[in-house]
Amino acid sequence: MKKLFTILSVSAILLFMSNSFAQDRFVATDAWGFGFGFTYPMYVGIQEASLNTSEFYGGFLSIQRNFSEHIAWRLKGAYNHVAAQYYENYNLENGEYVENDMITGDLDFIYYFNPCEPITMFLLAGAGLNFNEPTNAIIYTGQIDEVTGEEILFVSELDGESNVGAQFNIGAGVDIRLSEDWRLHGEGVYHTMGNSKIDGVDTRGGGTTDNFFGGSWFGGNSNDSWINADIGVLYYFDKGEPSKFCDLYTGKDEVDYNRIEDIVRKYQTMPTEVDYDRICEIVKKCMGPAMIEEEWVLIGVNFDFNKATLRPESYPILDNAASILLENPDVSVEIVGHTDQIGSDKYNDELSVKRAEAVKKYLIAKGVPANNLTTVGKGKRDLLFKENDPESRFYNRRVVSNVK
């Protein structure tokens, strides 16, 4: 068991060290997945017998259907080998093991709490069937045969007998994103049986001899139970549309990503030879005297989509603004950043503040006192243009200066 947890811990640490780990978003609205891996089973509810030692191992296969980002159904088949030795006069004296090969099939409901994160926690609940065949199920009675002088042994009628029982499952686990389609999968599940036979003895009254299997030694009505810890991988071989719930932009409007990419290319300015001194002279000539007592719109200071980096054509405008502020050292200015219509309010508020901060840093670099400048972000609340065409959105991504 310790080795299993060590493997899980090391895997998680390695994934955290990836520099692109937290930035990936590969969640779909629906998907099909195939899983496989190793399982470590263990008895936890064996009536009137406690484990002395055990040797458990197994493996599993699963097919999973994700109906949404949060909800999935899974059909899982597993093989679990159990070789256990018990106290309480049961198969201990001569060191024998009661062995059991369990083949299980379960249908489980899965709920993901945080499907958009690289490490996703989930709960599961379901039911299934357990096919098993205990062997070497022998009882040491502690009684001596008066004729032979040997201890009287009883062999359970379940020894070597195949039986089927219902089982009910509840558990929890974690999926760790390895790539777009692969997940490292780990879970722990508690199973309670519909009978009491998986340890080789029916403690609810069945057995070869009622005196021993239905009497005080193995009496009671409790069902057997067991647990398993799984570690494996989950591969999504078919996925639907990308999740809007998990997307960076969570607005109500449909987002045409191809069109956005075209807009970015259209307005992206590549580094070229630019005569900024000449441009600055033209700006000063055309702008005329600054009305610093009014709202000061820095015309020409716009930003690329989803960027807070100054475009080269903004430099002359900001150089002129810096000159005016240096000539009026008693004037304080509030720099207000804006965004276009695309995106959530929370994200756009943060982006608009970054744009205002970019302008502030540039002005400070030109000598404007930092104490004279403050920043605020308005996000998409004060649009210049309500239209959703590329040009309107470009001019909405602006900076305004309010003179205090």
Side-chain angles (χ1 to χ4, degrees):
M1 181 66 74
K2 292 182 179 179
K3 291 182 179 179
L4 178 64
F5 288 116
T6 300
I7 293 172
L8 284 172
S9 301
V10 172
S11 299
I13 293 171
L14 290 175
L15 287 170
F16 271 121
M17 293 173 64
S18 172
N19 56 12
S20 61
F21 176 68
Q23 299 177 359
D24 294 334
R25 300 284 179 179
F26 297 123
V27 181
T29 53
D30 60 274
W32 283 92
F34 174 74
F36 58 92
F38 300 100
T39 183
Y40 186 90
M42 178 177 287
Y43 293 150
V44 292
I46 306 301
Q47 294 301 309
E48 298 200 21
S50 56
L51 292 177
N52 177 39
T53 184
S54 61
E55 295 177 0
F56 300 155
Y57 58 85
F60 71 89
L61 297 173
S62 67
I63 187 76
Q64 180 169 316
R65 175 73 167 97
N66 290 37
F67 291 96
S68 69
E69 294 88 346
H70 288 283
I71 297 174
W73 286 98
R74 180 186 69 186
L75 183 62
K76 176 185 175 184
Y79 165 77
N80 295 281
H81 177 79
V82 183
Q85 195 179 69
Y86 306 108
Y87 292 111
E88 301 294 342
N89 300 313
Y90 182 25
N91 225 328
L92 175 63
E93 187 171 301
N94 294 327
E96 295 95 340
Y97 284 79
V98 180
E99 298 193 20
N100 192 358
D101 291 307
M102 297 190 296
I103 298 177
T104 60
D106 297 302
L107 180 63
D108 296 316
F109 167 83
I110 300 175
Y111 181 81
Y112 292 98
F113 287 98
N114 54 331
C116 305
E117 299 301 322
I119 300 180
T120 305
M121 311 298 294
F122 63 85
L123 287 178
L124 67 87
L129 294 176
N130 186 316
F131 301 83
N132 59 85
E133 183 177 329
T135 59
N136 199 27
I138 302 173
I139 300 297
Y140 290 84
T141 68
Q143 298 182 7
I144 304 300
D145 189 297
E146 295 179 357
V147 177
T148 63
E150 296 180 354
E151 184 177 6
I152 299 174
L153 305 180
F154 287 94
V155 178
S156 168
E157 68 176 11
L158 298 178
D159 185 55
E161 176 187 331
S162 298
N163 64 84
V164 180
Q167 63 180 21
F168 303 92
N169 321 315
I170 185 169
V174 59
D175 280 353
I176 302 176
R177 187 176 303 137
L178 301 177
S179 66
E180 181 175 355
D181 299 318
W182 287 90
R183 306 289 186 271
L184 179 65
H185 177 86
E187 67 179 49
V189 184
Y190 177 88
H191 310 269
T192 182
M193 298 295 300
N195 60 33
S196 182
K197 298 182 179 181
I198 61 174
D199 60 340
V201 178
D202 189 351
T203 61
R204 297 191 303 177
T208 301
T209 304
D210 290 341
N211 290 336
F212 294 101
F213 293 97
S216 61
W217 281 26
F218 292 93
N221 296 316
S222 298
N223 297 345
D224 290 339
S225 59
W226 62 288
I227 59 173
N228 70 277
D230 292 352
I231 184 168
V233 292
L234 178 63
Y235 171 67
Y236 285 108
F237 58 87
D238 184 53
K239 296 198 293 188
E241 295 296 323
S243 170
K244 294 182 176 61
F245 177 79
C246 295
D247 194 78
L248 183 64
Y249 294 99
T250 57
K252 295 181 180 180
D253 296 336
E254 294 289 334
V255 180
D256 187 343
Y257 293 100
N258 291 329
R259 187 179 180 190
I260 291 173
E261 188 175 356
D262 291 339
I263 296 170
V264 172
R265 290 197 191 100
K266 179 178 179 180
Y267 289 103
Q268 183 68 46
T269 302
M270 301 300 294
T272 57
E273 293 293 330
V274 180
D275 188 348
Y276 292 110
D277 293 335
R278 176 61 178 163
I279 295 175
C280 192
E281 292 176 3
I282 296 173
V283 170
K284 291 179 180 179
K285 180 179 179 180
C286 296
M287 290 187 68
M291 302 295 291
I292 59 173
E293 73 276 11
E294 300 176 356
E295 183 181 65
W296 189 2
V297 181
L298 300 177
I299 299 175
V301 181
N302 298 91
F303 295 84
D304 291 326
F305 176 72
N306 197 29
K307 299 291 184 182
T309 305
L310 292 172
R311 294 162 58 89
E313 60 265 30
S314 302
Y315 302 152
I317 292 94
L318 294 177
D319 288 345
N320 184 61
S323 299
I324 295 172
L325 292 175
L326 289 172
E327 293 172 1
N328 297 270
D330 297 330
V331 173
S332 296
V333 173
E334 180 184 62
I335 304 170
V336 184
H338 297 268
T339 67
D340 60 20
Q341 302 94 308
I342 298 178
S344 64
D345 288 336
K346 179 181 178 181
Y347 183 80
N348 279 324
D349 287 346
E350 295 174 355
L351 180 59
S352 61
V353 171
K354 292 178 181 179
R355 289 172 175 171
E357 288 289 338
V359 172
K360 177 181 177 180
K361 290 178 182 178
Y362 188 91
L363 295 176
I364 292 174
K366 291 296 180 179
V368 179
N371 294 335
N372 290 4
L373 304 173
T374 58
T375 58
V376 67
K378 289 295 186 67
K380 60 180 180 180
R381 288 186 290 277
D382 295 333
L383 299 174
L384 281 178
F385 304 100
K386 302 295 184 181
E387 293 78 11
N388 201 34
D389 59 278
E391 290 76 15
S392 297
R393 291 201 299 268
F394 175 73
Y395 288 113
N396 280 331
R397 299 193 293 267
R398 70 197 189 281
V399 167
V400 173
S401 297
N402 292 324
V403 178
K404 295 183 177 180

